[in-house]
Amino acid sequence: MAPRLQVALDTYDLPSALGPLQKAADEIDIIECGTILVLCEGYHAVRIIRALFPDKKILADVRIAEAGEKISRLAFEAGADMVSCVAGASLTTIQQVCKVAAEYHGEVQVELADEWFDADRARKWREAGVEHVIVKRSRDREAAGDLSWKPEDMDRVDELADMGFTVTITGGVSAKDLPAFAGRKVGIVIAGRSIVAADNPQAAAHELRTTIEQVWS
């Protein structure tokens, strides 16, 4: 099965997010209210996007590190289907978030740090109820000029998928990156700037979706 396409809305205000989103929405499976957008606009952004796109999956990328019960409940009450936690959150926090997610029939995602991975800890996340894990090429790594996906990144995708996670890849992903993942067990592809900052967001999203279907056909 081909991965789903997720758009990351990490703009500083809601109008800047909604403009490209409304153009590209037909090509998108999951809408991410990005960390920057939520920090700037609060859960109001989640509520507005839920109202405008009632049939889309929405991720509130709030990167929970603690206060898991409170932060996740606010996100789900605002209309999110999924929330994110950081890999460094305690297992207790992860368990709190998973418990709240179960109440709302929601899902939990853990975002791995750029160079951090502990297989035993990941198995405990899965036991707690975490369904999604992100493997990323960090924004800081990109800014430093490192645009490669490393062999260990690729192997991590398969290792996590074998544990039962839906594995998401992100980090400046464009259509040209995707053939490198052919045969890998990727469940979701996140694209942010390559759609949101494109001259034609609909065409950019369509290119990504078409490439996904070709690579994982």
Side-chain angles (χ1 to χ4, degrees):
M1 182 181 296
R4 289 175 286 171
L5 179 59
Q6 177 173 320
V7 63
L9 305 175
D10 258 321
T11 62
Y12 294 104
D13 58 70
L14 198 49
S16 298
L18 291 177
L21 175 59
Q22 288 171 322
K23 294 173 183 175
D26 287 346
E27 306 285 348
I28 301 300
D29 300 301
I30 302 169
I31 300 170
E32 174 188 328
C33 295
T35 309
I36 294 171
L37 179 61
V38 175
L39 285 171
C40 292
E41 294 277 13
Y43 286 119
H44 173 69
V46 179
R47 293 188 185 93
I48 292 296
I49 290 172
R50 168 53 67 213
L52 291 173
F53 300 95
D55 298 325
K56 296 289 186 183
K57 282 249 184 192
I58 295 176
L59 165 69
D61 187 20
V62 287
R63 303 192 190 191
I64 297 167
E66 57 179 12
E69 192 276 337
K70 293 180 180 179
I71 296 173
S72 59
R73 189 174 298 279
L74 287 167
F76 288 122
E77 287 177 349
D81 300 288
M82 304 162 64
V83 296
S84 64
C85 301
V86 297
S90 71
L91 184 59
T92 299
T93 295
I94 298 288
Q95 290 168 336
Q96 287 177 359
V97 175
C98 289
K99 183 177 179 180
V100 174
E103 290 180 36
Y104 290 86
H105 305 287
E107 301 170 20
V108 180
Q109 174 193 80
V110 173
E111 180 169 351
L112 296 183
D114 189 23
E115 296 178 355
W116 185 95
F117 179 62
D118 182 323
D120 290 337
R121 190 175 181 87
R123 290 187 186 93
K124 291 177 181 176
W125 297 335
R126 189 70 191 97
E127 291 169 4
V130 174
E131 297 180 75
H132 304 270
V133 173
I134 290 181
V135 174
K136 70 175 184 177
R137 177 176 59 187
S138 77
R139 185 177 294 226
D140 292 342
R141 200 163 101 188
E142 284 182 81
D146 184 356
L147 302 180
S148 64
W149 287 92
K150 301 183 185 304
E152 54 265 34
D153 295 328
M154 302 296 190
D155 293 341
R156 190 168 295 166
V157 168
D158 290 340
E159 183 178 3
L160 289 163
D162 288 341
M163 291 182 193
F165 291 107
T166 298
V167 180
T168 298
I169 58 169
T170 188
V173 174
S174 64
K176 69 178 184 298
D177 291 305
L178 297 178
F181 290 90
R184 300 288 180 173
K185 300 173 183 178
V186 176
I188 300 172
V189 172
I190 301 179
R193 286 159 286 167
S194 60
I195 294 175
V196 175
D199 292 334
N200 187 333
Q202 189 278 332
H206 181 73
E207 181 186 16
L208 278 159
R209 177 170 287 285
T210 300
T211 305
I212 286 170
E213 292 171 354
Q214 291 171 344
V215 170
W216 279 276
S217 62

